[in-house]
Amino acid sequence: TNSTLIVDGLLGGQLQDNGTMVITGGSLITTNCSFQVAYGAVGLLIISNALVQTRDVSIATGTPSTGTIELIGGTMTLSSFLVVGAGRVGSQGSFLVANGSLVITNGPTSIGDGDGGYGIMTLTNATMLARGMGLGGGRGSGNLSIEASSVKLEGGLTLDYGYVSLNGGMLVVTNAPTTLGEYTGFGEITVEDGLFLAREIIIGNDFQEDGILTVNGGTTQLSSYLQVGPAYVGNESSGSVSVNGGQLI
């Protein structure tokens, strides 16, 4: 509480949380090593009104594991990558950002990657700045929920097998494509309220992939083009767009 913990990672060391860590006020600094929450185990990290500076963070990796990070107030800054839920079948990683700020600008963000892992990321009255983001991969799946929050990606958004919901706030992906459904995958984005700014949106384009864009409210605005369905005959893919309220521009 109101203290500083520094893990310098000498001789290739790392910080691993397979139990419970609670940081209230103060700071945690692990900028020279990896930080793992739940590596083949159960791990919980609660950050309350504190500052966290770290290199890379992995939640629920390795053998079946369950890991959770709750960032409630305060700021977490990563100089490399974030992985949420990248273990084997039965593993689940969760990341909650509430009334706080998350910054990941030099590496990708992966939600639900690996051999059947499941990742969940929820933002409530929060801000997130990231390089690029992927949901699902391998046999994994991911879920991103944005509730009255601001998420800005400097790169693209790819839903290999994942779901994104926007309910208030904004999602900005204006420098690279938003892709719903990668190779043999499925991706879905639902806009209930708020502002979704995209460059181009590609839905169900590759081999045996499906994608759905649903606009129930708010505004979805593209600066480039919208592609729905496969570009070539025989891809066995499908895409759909449903506008039930709000605006698609």
Side-chain angles (χ1 to χ4, degrees), residues 2-224:
N2 297 319
S3 302
T4 298
L5 172 63
I6 300 175
V7 181
D8 56 23
L10 292 176
L11 302 177
Q14 63 184 8
L15 176 59
Q16 194 170 91
D17 173 14
N18 289 329
T20 299
M21 292 181 63
V22 180
I23 302 171
T24 303
S27 59
L28 169 64
I29 301 174
T30 62
T31 51
N32 294 319
C33 66
S34 298
F35 187 9
Q36 296 180 332
V37 178
Y39 183 78
V42 177
L44 171 64
L45 170 64
I46 299 175
I47 304 160
S48 177
N49 297 309
L51 173 64
V52 177
Q53 295 177 321
T54 185
R55 191 179 70 185
D56 54 85
V57 174
S58 301
I59 308 172
T61 56
T63 56
S65 53
T66 302
T68 302
I69 292 180
E70 296 181 357
L71 175 61
I72 304 171
T75 300
M76 174 181 277
T77 302
L78 284 71
S79 62
S80 187
F81 63 83
L82 170 66
V83 176
V84 182
R88 296 179 180 177
V89 175
S91 295
Q92 178 171 307
S94 302
F95 199 141
L96 168 66
V97 185
N99 303 301
S101 179
L102 177 63
V103 181
I104 315 159
T105 55
N106 295 319
T109 297
S110 300
I111 304 174
D113 201 352
D115 190 16
Y118 179 51
I120 306 170
M121 189 158 195
T122 303
L123 295 102
T124 302
N125 296 309
T127 61
M128 178 178 182
L129 175 63
R131 183 177 177 183
M133 181 181 293
L135 279 72
R139 293 192 296 163
S141 59
N143 186 305
L144 171 65
S145 177
I146 304 168
E147 303 169 5
S149 298
S150 174
V151 176
K152 182 177 180 180
L153 303 182
E154 296 180 341
L157 173 61
T158 302
L159 281 63
D160 191 332
Y161 204 100
Y163 176 74
V164 174
S165 64
L166 174 63
N167 191 6
M170 65 190 307
L171 171 61
V172 180
V173 195
T174 52
N175 296 322
T178 297
T179 305
L180 281 63
E182 276 286 276
Y183 187 80
T184 69
F186 173 81
E188 182 175 1
I189 295 179
T190 300
V191 180
E192 298 289 351
D193 192 12
L195 177 62
F196 177 22
L197 296 176
R199 194 177 73 178
E200 65 263 24
I201 300 178
I202 302 169
I203 306 173
N205 176 55
D206 209 341
F207 180 69
Q208 291 184 344
E209 65 182 35
D210 302 294
I212 299 173
L213 172 64
T214 302
V215 180
N216 293 326
T219 299
T220 298
Q221 183 172 335
L222 287 71
S223 63
S224 187

